[in-house]
């Protein structure tokens, strides 16, 4: 039987990855359109949780159309 050892891919430096993600978020937050969309998503999530609507609000939309 021939056996081989699996090579694990090199893990990226976690600190560099974290810094790169932070830099990307800094650039995005300065984009007015991105910021407005993010605020809208947060508001929708909070509203759905307060009204006890399932994820995405699909059930609410169907209920509203029936009325």
């Amino acid at each position: 039987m021939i056996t081989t050892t699996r090579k694990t891919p090199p893990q990226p430096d976690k600190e560099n990855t974290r810094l790169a993600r932070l830099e990307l978020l800094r650039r995005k937050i300065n984009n007015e359109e991105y910021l407005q969309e993010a605020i809208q998503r947060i508001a929708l999530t909070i509203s759905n949780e307060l009204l006890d609507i399932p994820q995405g609000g699909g059930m609410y939309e169907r209920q509203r159309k029936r009325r």
Side-chain angles (χ1 to χ4, degrees), residues 26-59:
R26 282 187 188 110
R27 280 185 277 161
K28 284 183 175 182
I29 203 90
N30 289 323
N31 178 333
E32 186 68 29
E33 185 177 329
Y34 175 83
L35 191 58
Q36 290 300 319
E37 289 175 7
I39 291 169
Q40 187 68 25
R41 286 191 306 269
I42 292 167
L44 181 62
T45 300
I46 292 171
S47 297
N48 286 345
E49 288 191 16
L50 288 173
L51 296 172
D52 198 28
I53 296 173
Q55 186 79 7
M59 188 172 131

Side-chain angles (χ1 to χ4, degrees), residues 2-37:
I2 299 173
T3 59
T4 60
T5 311
R6 283 190 181 178
K7 293 183 180 179
T8 57
Q11 297 295 322
D13 183 11
K14 290 182 181 183
E15 184 64 22
N16 286 341
T17 303
R18 188 176 70 86
L19 291 175
R21 290 186 71 204
L22 284 174
E23 183 58 36
L24 177 63
L25 288 173
R26 282 187 188 110
R27 280 185 277 161
K28 284 183 175 182
I29 203 90
N30 289 323
N31 178 333
E32 186 68 29
E33 185 177 329
Y34 175 83
L35 191 58
Q36 290 300 319
E37 289 175 7

